[in-house]
Amino acid sequence: MPSSSTSRQRSSSASRCPGFAVSRGEALRDRTVAAIIDSAAVIMATQGDGARMSRIADAAGVGRATLYRYFPSREALLRAMAAQSVEELAARTADADLEGIPAGAAIARLARGFIAVGSTYTVLSTAGIQRSGEHPDIDARLVEPIRALFRRGAPTAPCGPTSRPT
């Protein structure tokens, strides 16, 4: 599976200009944004929401002015991290082939993907980031495939209204 920054570069460039080559400036922007978001996720996972922006800039290999050019505030950086986490979850869900394998295996595969993404962006659970309208297709890309999986697995699930915990 490609690294998160590699898939982030591809998805952000491709979404701007489907079918067209990415300019050198766009590629640099994508790499810079990816480095900042990846560094912020690592730093904030260990230091929490109070991590200094200068520390994030240092870890990303950019100056503070560059970080603030891309993300004018901590809130903007957290929103970008939230958007990236949605993109990564949607990509993992699509790549998981949920319909092509038994429901139990699909649920396990989905859980591993959610744990991997969730552990990368732990700060989002404590930073109070709320769902926004930035991803209007989130239901189609993320929620519906998961619902379909659980509807498919429900009739064969080892638990239900008549089962008892063992």
Side-chain angles (χ1 to χ4, degrees):
M1 178 155 298
S3 73
S4 62
S5 62
T6 303
S7 46
R8 179 174 21 262
Q9 290 171 19
R10 237 183 283 125
S11 68
S12 61
S13 296
S15 65
R16 280 196 299 272
C17 306
F20 295 97
V22 177
S23 73
R24 181 177 280 167
E26 288 175 319
L28 177 61
R29 180 192 185 290
D30 288 349
R31 282 193 306 274
T32 302
V33 167
I36 293 169
I37 290 174
D38 289 346
S39 296
V42 170
I43 299 294
M44 289 182 176
T46 58
Q47 298 179 10
D49 184 32
R52 296 174 50 89
M53 295 292 272
S54 59
R55 176 78 174 101
I56 293 167
D58 289 344
V62 299
R64 259 186 13 188
T66 300
L67 185 146
Y68 281 108
R69 185 176 327 122
Y70 288 99
F71 303 104
S73 67
R74 177 180 301 279
E75 181 67 23
L77 178 56
L78 289 168
R79 279 195 314 276
M81 291 170 65
Q84 184 56 39
S85 71
V86 169
E87 287 299 322
E88 288 182 31
L89 286 171
R92 284 180 178 265
T93 300
D95 291 346
D97 187 30
L98 300 178
E99 295 177 5
I101 58 176
I107 291 169
R109 189 177 286 177
L110 187 64
R112 285 190 299 273
F114 270 68
I115 289 168
V117 172
S119 64
T120 300
Y121 298 102
T122 56
V123 70
L124 297 176
S125 64
T126 60
I129 299 298
Q130 300 294 317
R131 182 175 171 180
S132 71
E134 291 180 32
H135 288 279
D137 61 342
I138 191 172
D139 285 337
R141 293 180 61 210
L142 194 56
V143 176
E144 284 308 317
I146 295 168
R147 283 185 181 147
L149 169 61
F150 282 98
R151 279 193 297 270
R152 180 169 59 96
T156 61
C159 58
T162 59
S163 66
R164 296 180 188 186
T166 54

